[in-house]
Each structure stands twice: as C-alpha cells, then as structure tokens.
Amino acid sequence: MNRPLRADAQRNRERLLEVAAQAFAHDGPQVSLDAVAKQAGVGIGTLYRHFPTREALVEAAYRKELARLCDAAPALLETMPPDRAVRAWMDLFVEYMTTKRGMADALRAVIASGGNPFAQSRDRLIEAVTTLLTAAADAGSVRTDVRPEDVLAGLGGISLATPDPAQADQAARLLDLLMDGLRHR
C-alpha cells in the first residue's frame, strides 16, 4: 500500500516536475537528469526515488502540464465571466501546445519504451472545453451548437500555424477570430 508523501517530499516531486517540463521543452529529451535535480534543488537520488527512469519523469511532467491546463477551466470560471474564461483558456492551450511541442522528442522516447502519455489527454481536454462551453452557452455568450471537439481542432490548428513564440501576436488574433466564431451564428 502506498503511503501519502510527506509534505517536503510532495514539494520536491512537484518542483522536479516543474523543472523537468521546462527542461525537456527547452533542451529536448537528452537533458541531463543531474541538471534537472540540481535546478530543482534536490539530489539525484531524490529524483530517482520519485521517477526511476527518464521516461517516467517525462510522462509525469507531461501529465502534470495536461492537468494544469484542464484544471484551469473551472478555476477560470470562478474568477471571470464565462466568455472571458473560454478565451483565457485558449491562451493557456496555446502555451500548453508550445510546451508539448518542445517535449515531442522526449514523449516519443516514452512511447518507444511502451508508455502512453496521451492515454487520457483527449478525454481530459474534451471535459475542460465542455465545462467552459456549457457555462458560456448558459450565460448566452456563445452559441449552443458548438462541439468541444471542433474547438480543440481549431485550437490545434492555431497552435500548428503559430509555433514560434515570435508569432504570439498572430496567435492572439487567430484566437480572437475563433472566439468571435463561437459567439455569432
């Protein structure tokens, strides 16, 4: 039976995941795990206690980023009107895709080793978008006939069309166009 982690061990794990996601996105799959541990402020033994393989760390970092994105949907709805929450979440999605794109080689290594980091991705994303669209439709700020799968396809297209951080302004304009399409019939 797994015991819950002590508070300090949980903090170390979270910090390792945060640093790893940034490192894999920025430096690719061959980033030194020693460097990840050092930047997280822990020893390499602590890293390996939490993540026995590089692939385990990559998969956990990816899942953490996915959870952060999906968990943002209800949090945004608590702090702003539904249509603004939808648009703010779109920005977060583009950031998530940038991180995921940077982690692509590392994620391919996980898949090659038999892992499936994407097992729950689509379902979690559909759930988050459905939560946002339902709230916005109930408030009368978006159309009621919008399918979450279509919104995700549009967001994916925008992310593919604007992969460079220097294209952030264009991505924002395209997200505004997508949002306008959700509002009007």
Side-chain angles (χ1 to χ4, degrees), residues 51-67:
F51 309 103
T53 64
R54 174 181 296 276
E55 290 77 16
L57 178 60
V58 170
E59 187 167 354
Y62 168 74
R63 289 184 189 275
K64 177 75 173 171
E65 291 301 306
L66 175 69

Side-chain angles (χ1 to χ4, degrees), residues 2 4 17 59 64 67-68 80 85 142 147 157 178:
N2 289 340
L17 290 174
E59 187 167 354
K64 177 75 173 171
R68 184 187 330 245
M80 58 185 67
V142 301
R147 295 181 55 149
L178 178 58

